[in-house]
Amino acid sequence: MAKWGEGDPRWIVEERADATNVNNWHWTERDATNWSSDKLKSLLLGLSVENEEGNCEVTEVSKVEGEASINNRKGKLIFFYEWNLKATWTGKSKAGVKYKGTIEVPNLSDENDMEDLDISVSLNKDEPDTPLLNLMKTKGVEIFRDALQSYVGFLKTEFTQGMILPTANGVAKPQSTSQSKAKVDKTEISSSASTAAPINTGVKIPTCKFTLRETFLTSPADLYRVFVNKEMVQAFTRGAATVDGERGGKFRLLDGNILGEFTELVPDEKIVMKWRYNNWPCEHYATITMTFLDRNSETELKVEYRGVPNSQEEQTKEGWKRYYFESIKQTFGYGARLF
């Protein structure tokens, strides 16, 4: 047995290594069913949409039936998931009338494209007709689909951390399934189309500020390039990404789970950006300042975070340590030790 994630019994998974392992190739398998069930519920519950007719919210996730697993064979990750989902949505008109209905997804699977996913929305029996049903069939379906896409992204990043093991030369080359490769172009096109300039909507939530520091065995110029070069970003995030490495340029990483905009770029010295997780309150961005300090044969990276939601402080810290710092070191060999 191998524990995945300290202190969280949900992340205890089965892991096996091939006894005939040669040339440092590894085969491992992980059951992601329980983790996926919890992740799907957390992503879907509370989703809401609103227009001039009223508002609707997902108030219950009543069915999460299925399974998920991941195989790592010779450094290549293969994903299997199949889910049948059912949720309850509650609507309230501007006049105060309440409505209730269901959302069903019978075929969330690695075999189906997210764009072709069947998401059925209906009103409960005996409920009167309401324009809110159309709201749920349009905007509601859209955000529901986005949340399911986020699940797939988290499955391929958060749950799989550590499944790509270092090769003999100390650097693990990112691998993807043929299915993932086939979707890269489509992912990049849709991501580019959805990265419109953020609009300040005046979101007011409790926020915090903090600083992280990390040392990398490379030059400031090389480390700076890792964050603004699309190919290098795709290497350490192990997936398609949209990255416009210029001032005002947008970026979108990890299947759209991270997005933002570069607001200031001083080559080899500093990067300032607006940055957010896609499950933060709509249009709320943190300001992140990265300073690259030359320490002879090393580079000290100082990262200052401002405007991070209080409830997301630990998630943001751990996310940066895992998906940025550790992944960059492992991918490019910039660490004194391998993670």
Side-chain angles (χ1 to χ4, degrees):
M1 300 292 285
K3 181 174 287 189
W4 177 245
E6 288 296 326
D8 191 340
R10 295 175 301 172
W11 290 1
I12 296 177
V13 298
E14 295 288 346
E15 180 171 318
R16 296 184 290 175
D18 191 340
T20 61
N21 173 40
V22 294
N23 298 326
N24 203 33
W25 286 118
H26 291 261
W27 175 82
T28 57
E29 182 181 68
R30 283 182 174 155
D31 180 0
T33 301
N34 290 337
W35 177 91
S36 293
S37 178
D38 290 340
K39 179 62 71 173
L40 284 164
K41 289 178 182 178
S42 69
L43 289 170
L44 298 175
L45 192 62
L47 291 176
S48 63
V49 290
E50 182 177 5
N51 65 7
E52 65 278 0
E53 300 291 343
N55 61 78
C56 302
E57 180 180 351
V58 177
T59 52
E60 182 185 4
V61 181
S62 55
K63 179 193 289 186
V64 182
E65 296 180 349
E67 60 182 350
S69 63
I70 305 169
N71 287 301
N72 173 12
R73 299 188 180 186
K74 294 186 177 181
K76 180 177 181 178
L77 295 182
I78 305 173
F79 301 87
F80 301 94
Y81 56 90
E82 186 173 3
W83 295 99
N84 183 352
L85 309 171
K86 185 175 182 179
T88 298
W89 64 270
T90 302
K92 184 177 181 181
S93 70
K94 291 296 185 181
V97 181
K98 294 184 178 180
Y99 304 86
K100 184 172 288 189
T102 60
I103 306 175
E104 295 186 73
V105 181
N107 60 340
L108 177 61
S109 163
D110 58 279
E111 297 181 353
N112 299 321
D113 287 339
M114 192 61 65
E115 294 84 355
D116 301 327
L117 189 63
D118 181 18
I119 302 178
S120 175
V121 179
S122 61
L123 273 171
N124 288 355
K125 292 182 178 179
D126 302 325
E127 291 282 354
D129 290 338
T130 171
L132 294 179
L133 177 59
N134 186 59
L135 173 63
M136 284 300 297
K137 286 185 174 182
T138 53
K139 292 184 178 179
V141 166
E142 183 179 339
I143 66 166
F144 210 85
R145 193 186 308 275
D146 287 345
L148 296 178
Q149 181 68 65
S150 294
Y151 155 70
V152 176
F154 282 124
L155 179 66
K156 294 181 178 181
T157 54
E158 181 177 300
F159 190 82
T160 60
Q161 188 69 27
M163 290 193 72
I164 294 290
L165 301 177
T167 59
N169 63 1
V171 179
K173 294 183 179 180
Q175 300 284 344
S176 60
T177 64
S178 58
Q179 178 187 22
S180 297
K181 291 179 181 178
K183 295 181 181 178
V184 167
D185 292 340
K186 183 183 295 184
T187 301
E188 291 179 359
I189 292 172
S190 62
S191 296
S192 299
S194 60
T195 53
I199 300 173
N200 183 4
T201 57
V203 176
K204 294 183 179 180
I205 57 175
T207 63
C208 61
K209 60 181 180 179
F210 55 89
T211 300
L212 296 178
R213 295 174 181 269
E214 191 70 25
T215 300
F216 297 81
L217 299 180
T218 188
S219 67
D222 286 345
L223 186 59
Y224 175 94
R225 190 163 57 251
V226 167
F227 292 95
V228 298
N229 179 276
K230 178 180 176 180
E231 286 71 26
M232 298 184 79
V233 170
Q234 290 185 149
F236 80 79
T237 60
R238 297 170 185 160
T242 300
V243 182
D244 182 3
E246 299 180 354
R247 182 175 181 179
K250 309 294 193 304
F251 57 83
R252 193 176 183 90
L253 323 175
L254 300 175
D255 285 336
N257 290 304
I258 292 174
L259 59 155
E261 175 184 337
F262 296 112
T263 57
E264 181 181 355
L265 294 173
V266 181
D268 309 339
E269 295 180 13
K270 184 167 71 171
I271 296 174
V272 182
M273 56 187 171
K274 293 193 296 186
W275 184 98
R276 73 188 303 271
Y277 281 117
N278 70 351
N279 61 352
W280 284 5
C282 184
E283 302 302 346
H284 179 83
Y285 288 76
T287 297
I288 295 181
T289 301
M290 306 169 63
T291 306
F292 301 80
L293 305 172
D294 191 349
R295 304 299 190 209
N296 296 322
S297 60
E298 300 178 341
T299 298
E300 180 184 1
L301 179 63
K302 176 183 177 184
V303 189
E304 298 174 275
Y305 305 77
R306 295 179 179 272
V308 174
N310 283 348
S311 61
Q312 298 292 306
E313 180 179 358
E314 290 305 314
Q315 179 189 12
T316 303
K317 287 179 178 178
E318 293 304 312
W320 269 76
K321 290 175 182 177
R322 178 178 295 178
Y323 303 126
Y324 281 90
F325 302 161
E326 295 177 9
S327 185
I328 287 171
K329 287 183 177 182
Q330 185 183 60
T331 302
F332 303 108
Y334 292 166
R337 60 186 185 280
L338 292 173
F339 292 85

